[in-house]
Amino acid sequence: MSRGRTPPVKDTYSTHDVAKICCVTPTTVIRWIEDGLIPAFKTVGGHRRVRREDLEKVCRERNIPFNVPTGSEVGRILVVDDEPVVLELVRDVVKELSHKFEVEVAKDAFDAGRLVVSFRPQLIFLDLMMPGVDGFEVCTRLKKDSATTNTEVIAITGYYTDANMERIINAGAVACLKKPLDVLEVRGRVIDAFKLKDEDVDQASKQKGATKVLVVTQNADFRTRLRDELSNAKPAVEFLTAQTGADATLVAQNKPPQHVIVSLSVPDLESSDVIAKLSQGDNKPQIIAVHDAPTDEIRSAAREAGARMCLPTAMVSGTIRELLGV
């Protein structure tokens, strides 16, 4: 995003434009309009529009820098957490929705404070309890600062209780998510916050035409669960299986899959180089790596090999149809 630049001559802005200019989410802009904080009108098609002079006046009164959006990004999201698994998961989910999202991560209070000022996120995923960081206090400070009072905050915590949820909501967060994070819940929160429309979501994320799913695992229970879940998909999904990397390569050659779920515990995974081979093939399937307890190193290695994301095995079971869009 260009900062401090003279705005181009433009008479009106959409709610998404206003959100980018003011560094808030479209949801916040709509709330401002409904509360009468920003004058707006509706087009013949029912879309809200804000006149440039009205927006400039509001920005001056509220000391909001008037930063013109380039139009290249959907939004800016900051993830504050000291767990690499959480940082990677949220970043994967957001980027899977749209490559146009800008995502920054902070593992400590120093980076979080620096990025809030320099990156000016519209949405912050905030861990409530990190070493040296009190998420409740951080949220309270954000809401008291005129520069960030309208920045949307979604809390995340491994210590989820009704008391903690009530406390952080009272501090200004819009929601509190429990760890381990639910991929679909994170995805849904981002879609709601930015009012994403169908055309905003990358085709890879919403692909509906997948017919072949290859599952590479030696875990019979995991394989059976996925088979049962995918059996209800419409249109029908052809379920392919392999127990070794070498077999997976052969299966993919005969019946190129659109999606691959590969367990990183498969014995010959590295020697067969199956993830890299599948990701570089002509068909280029969407590959999701799974591991019982993925570390930051494991996730990075899987992504470097060509996997779209690396998720805990338990997280995939029960959400496979939504993850694949089938």
Side-chain angles (χ1 to χ4, degrees):
M1 170 175 285
S2 175
R3 295 177 172 84
R5 191 175 65 184
T6 302
V9 177
K10 186 174 181 180
D11 293 333
T12 62
Y13 291 103
S14 68
T15 53
H16 278 73
D17 287 338
V18 175
K20 292 176 184 178
I21 290 170
C22 297
C23 296
V24 296
T25 64
T27 302
T28 298
V29 175
I30 292 173
R31 187 166 61 246
W32 283 351
I33 293 173
E34 291 176 346
D35 291 344
L37 299 178
I38 296 182
F41 66 94
K42 286 189 177 181
T43 65
V44 175
H47 302 291
R48 294 180 177 88
R49 293 291 182 267
V50 176
R51 293 183 176 84
R52 182 162 61 93
E53 56 268 29
D54 290 332
L55 180 57
E56 288 179 332
K57 180 181 178 182
V58 170
C59 286
R60 285 196 302 270
E61 292 174 347
R62 295 179 174 272
N63 196 29
I64 299 174
F66 195 94
N67 295 314
V68 180
T70 63
S72 60
E73 80 283 345
V74 174
R76 298 182 306 283
I77 297 175
L78 173 62
V79 189
V80 183
D81 199 294
D82 62 328
E83 296 183 49
V85 169
V86 173
L87 298 174
E88 193 78 8
L89 185 148
V90 176
R91 182 163 48 193
D92 282 346
V93 170
V94 171
K95 286 295 187 180
E96 179 64 16
L97 272 174
S98 175
H99 70 282
K100 293 182 179 180
F101 269 113
E102 293 183 30
V103 183
E104 291 285 356
V105 299
K107 297 182 180 180
D108 54 43
F110 178 82
D111 280 345
R114 176 179 60 83
L115 288 167
V116 164
V117 174
S118 62
F119 183 53
R120 299 187 71 214
Q122 296 161 272
L123 173 64
I124 299 176
F125 282 91
L126 174 65
D127 187 10
L128 292 184
M129 299 179 185
M130 294 169 53
V133 179
D134 183 334
F136 299 99
E137 183 179 349
V138 170
C139 187
T140 299
R141 289 182 178 179
L142 287 170
K143 293 303 173 179
K144 287 184 177 180
D145 189 331
S146 60
T148 55
T149 186
N150 293 302
T151 301
E152 197 158 304
V153 177
I154 295 178
I156 51 180
T157 182
Y159 302 92
Y160 187 92
T161 64
D162 290 341
N164 280 341
M165 182 183 69
E166 182 178 358
R167 183 182 172 192
I168 193 61
I169 295 299
N170 289 337
V174 297
C176 183
L177 311 184
K178 64 177 68 176
K179 295 180 181 179
L181 294 177
D182 184 312
V183 171
L184 298 182
E185 188 171 16
V186 173
R187 177 187 171 97
R189 289 290 179 180
V190 174
I191 289 175
D192 289 344
F194 288 92
K195 299 296 180 186
L196 294 184
K197 299 178 181 178
D198 196 52
E199 60 266 25
D200 297 321
V201 180
D202 285 349
Q203 290 297 320
S205 174
K206 60 183 181 182
Q207 184 179 23
K208 299 298 182 183
T211 55
K212 296 183 181 66
V213 177
L214 171 60
V215 176
V216 187
T217 181
Q218 293 190 340
N219 186 325
D221 290 338
F222 179 63
R223 182 169 55 246
T224 299
R225 288 198 300 271
L226 295 192
R227 186 195 301 272
D228 290 344
E229 291 175 39
L230 291 172
S231 65
N232 296 320
K234 294 182 180 180
V237 167
E238 183 175 354
F239 191 83
L240 309 173
T241 64
Q243 295 191 35
T244 67
D247 286 345
T249 302
L250 292 175
V251 171
Q253 289 175 349
N254 293 324
K255 291 188 174 183
Q258 283 76 28
H259 299 286
V260 178
I261 310 297
V262 55
S263 171
L264 297 182
S265 62
V266 172
D268 67 336
L269 191 67
E270 290 188 11
S271 60
S272 63
D273 204 20
V274 64
I275 294 180
K277 288 179 180 177
L278 291 175
S279 64
Q280 295 169 7
D282 294 337
N283 193 48
K284 296 188 183 304
Q286 299 293 318
I287 301 175
I288 296 178
V290 298
H291 190 278
D292 288 344
T295 63
D296 191 35
E297 290 76 16
I298 289 174
R299 287 174 176 272
S300 296
R303 287 170 60 87
E304 289 175 6
R308 189 181 77 195
M309 61 177 69
C310 179
L311 300 174
T313 304
M315 184 176 292
V316 174
S317 180
T319 62
I320 187 63
R321 288 181 59 186
E322 289 81 0
L323 282 172
L324 302 185
V326 297

